[in-house]
């Protein structure tokens, strides 16, 4: 039971990940915290839906329609749609109207629905038409090129374009990395040493808050409740 998930990276600076999945014999999943927002398309019992899913500050349980197909574009940190500010989407989502198998409605126009293989072309159109933009200050900071702005300004720009503080983003991403390492068989002490946790209680608290599972549960190869998208960066 669970989710069959496939994902890939992208050479677009606006895209963090592209994914698709199919659900079967499952009605819930453990939704892992993520600093990213994504545009998700899915079909269930002939009904087609589109939504913008915001960043998630903590782990949660999410409902999953059985025998549904999904496709999503995860956008990079600092990328946002000005008409749908990311800071208003944290731990929430917005349903996009007018969805069919071929098209959907976005910012006053009809858009052809993208797919797993042409996500980059779709995102380029978003950029050309001013629907999607990326904060150059945040992008520079993430690329390791500190911009010539004050720390206060940088924090404000991060909050505006991601909906989260830089500290929150680091904690979420570290917990996600820890979960991937544990699933790969790295023992907890090795994860602690590699990712800079203080001790096992610190790692345990982080996993519980941001992943919703203990290290032992993450090692289970056949969990009753599947995890949302996790991938090695």
């Amino acid at each position: 039971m669970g989710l069959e998930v496939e994902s890939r990276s992208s050479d677009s600076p606006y895209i963090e990940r592209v994914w698709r999945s199919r659900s079967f014999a499952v009605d819930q999943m453990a939704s892992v915290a993520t600093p990213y927002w994504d545009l998700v398309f899915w079909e269930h019992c002939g009904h087609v839906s589109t939504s913008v899913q915001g960043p998630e500050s903590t782990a949660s349980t999410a409902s999953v329609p059985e025998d549904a197909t999904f496709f999503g574009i995860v956008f990079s940190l600092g990328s946002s749609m000005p008409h749908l500010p990311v800071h208003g989407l944290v731990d929430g989502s917005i349903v996009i109207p007018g969805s069919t198998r071929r098209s959907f409605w976005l910012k006053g126009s009809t858009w052809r629905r993208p797919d797993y293989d042409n996500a980059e072309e779709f995102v380029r159109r978003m950029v050309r038409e001013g629907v999607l933009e990326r904060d150059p200050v945040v992008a520079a900071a993430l690329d390791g090129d500190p911009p010539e702005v004050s720390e206060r300004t940088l924090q404000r720009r991060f909050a505006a374009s991601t909906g989260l503080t830089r500290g929150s983003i680091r904690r979420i991403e570290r917990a996600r990395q820890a979960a991937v390492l544990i699933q790969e068989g790295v023992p907890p002490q090795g994860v602690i040493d590699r990712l800079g946790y203080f001790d096992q209680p610190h790692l345990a608290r982080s996993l519980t808050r941001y992943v919703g599972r203990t290290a032992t549960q993450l090692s289970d190869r056949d969990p009753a409740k599947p995890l949302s998208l996790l991938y090695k960066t």
Side-chain angles (χ1 to χ4, degrees):
M1 65 169 60
L3 293 170
E4 291 180 349
V5 182
E6 178 183 5
S7 73
R8 65 174 177 82
S9 59
S10 173
D11 58 5
S12 169
Y14 295 89
I15 299 175
E16 171 67 19
R17 204 82 182 169
V18 181
W19 61 273
R20 60 185 172 189
S21 69
R22 182 177 69 86
S23 64
F24 55 99
V26 64
D27 59 4
Q28 288 185 332
M29 72 174 179
S31 187
V32 181
T34 176
Y36 306 100
W37 64 277
D38 53 356
L39 184 60
V40 182
F41 306 85
W42 74 95
E43 184 172 349
H44 177 238
C45 295
H47 180 68
V48 179
S49 301
T50 305
S51 69
V52 178
Q53 304 285 335
E56 297 180 60
S57 62
T58 60
S60 63
T61 297
S63 299
V64 179
E66 188 174 349
D67 294 324
T69 56
F70 306 84
F71 156 65
I73 302 172
V74 181
F75 291 86
S76 62
L77 291 174
S79 297
S80 63
M81 292 189 289
H83 70 292
L84 293 176
V86 179
H87 60 77
L89 292 170
V90 176
D91 296 322
S93 63
I94 293 178
V95 175
I96 302 298
S99 295
T100 71
R101 287 189 177 92
R102 293 180 176 272
S103 64
F104 67 104
W105 190 255
L106 182 62
K107 200 184 178 184
S109 300
T110 299
W111 290 63
R112 186 173 180 82
R113 180 173 167 170
D115 59 35
Y116 187 79
D117 297 314
N118 69 5
E120 284 77 11
E121 179 182 345
F122 170 78
V123 168
R124 283 194 292 270
R125 181 190 168 190
M126 293 179 73
V127 175
R128 285 196 308 270
E129 299 196 14
V131 175
L132 181 71
E133 59 183 31
R134 192 172 189 222
D135 189 319
V137 171
V138 172
L142 291 168
D143 290 339
D145 183 17
E148 295 182 0
V149 298
S150 68
E151 181 63 24
R152 183 176 180 180
T153 296
L154 184 58
Q155 292 284 12
R156 179 175 56 80
R157 298 281 283 265
F158 257 89
S161 65
T162 69
L164 301 168
T165 66
R166 294 180 73 189
S168 294
I169 291 170
R170 284 193 290 265
R171 289 189 290 272
I172 291 171
E173 290 194 317
R174 181 166 64 171
R176 291 175 64 92
Q177 290 175 337
V180 170
L181 290 173
I182 291 169
Q183 288 183 324
E184 291 178 342
V186 178
Q189 189 58 51
V191 175
I192 291 167
D193 296 339
R194 191 177 302 189
L195 299 182
Y197 285 101
F198 296 126
D199 50 27
Q200 290 211 21
H202 185 205
L203 171 62
R205 289 193 300 272
S206 177
L207 290 174
T208 299
R209 178 173 183 179
Y210 298 118
V211 182
R213 288 196 179 161
T214 64
T216 300
Q217 290 170 331
L218 284 167
S219 299
D220 185 353
R221 295 300 180 185
D222 188 24
K225 188 187 298 180
L227 284 173
S228 61
L229 180 64
L230 274 176
Y231 52 88
K232 190 170 184 179
T233 57

